[in-house]
Amino acid sequence: MHIPDGYLSPEVAVATTVVSLAVVCSALRVPRQRAEGPAGAVTRGLDGIPLVGVTAAFIFAVQMLNFPVAHGTSGHLLGAALAAVLLGPWLGCLTVAAVLAMQALLFADGGIAALGANVLNMAVLGALLTGLVMARMGVSARGLGAGSAGGRGSRGAAGGPAAFLAVVAGAAWLSVMA
């Protein structure tokens, strides 16, 4: 669920926007340092752009499918864990943040004043928490290679619990902000 405009106090909206901007600006630098391609080989330049675009389009589409939760609210798939598994946590965070910005600007889904909170809740917490869980489980969270070099688990086995934790963390953080 996107946090609508007017739901958060102005102080919380500004604070979450500042934090989200700081993380997103930090994330802009990280993917340039190293990105793994489909076979685990290091790629540079424009090789990964099609995957980023397809991932963003898919997340945009599935976030438009809402299901009722309670008392007139609705939920949807976040997509941050999928983006983190496919693209890595930092590029996944950037991708979901871009999707959320487009939804807020084009469809008023969430709203401009709450965009920082939505980015923090869905993109930052979702993608970075997924990356952390996967790293703790010994799985590389970058690229589309099978498993990780010398890792202990597979991306699918780590991505499921990471996605669950990302949703719970977002809900918990929303309850703290509200």
Side-chain angles (χ1 to χ4, degrees), residues 12-126:
V12 171
V14 168
T16 56
T17 300
V18 168
V19 172
S20 294
L21 274 174
V23 174
V24 167
C25 287
S26 296
L28 285 170
R29 297 176 184 262
V30 176
R32 289 188 202 157
Q33 294 172 0
R34 179 180 171 162
E36 291 182 25
V42 175
T43 60
R44 303 223 187 267
L46 304 176
D47 294 344
I49 289 179
L51 180 60
V52 172
V54 169
T55 302
F58 180 77
I59 291 170
F60 186 87
V62 298
Q63 281 193 357
M64 298 304 282
L65 303 172
N66 294 322
F67 51 88
V69 177
H71 305 295
T73 62
S74 62
H76 59 74
L77 299 174
L78 299 182
L82 175 67
V85 168
L86 293 177
L87 307 171
W90 292 102
L91 192 52
C93 176
L94 286 174
T95 302
V96 175
V99 167
L100 293 171
M102 295 249 326
Q103 288 175 335
L105 293 170
L106 297 177
F107 298 105
D109 202 358
I112 303 300
L115 182 59
N118 284 320
V119 167
L120 181 62
N121 240 12
M122 289 187 258
V124 173
L125 281 177

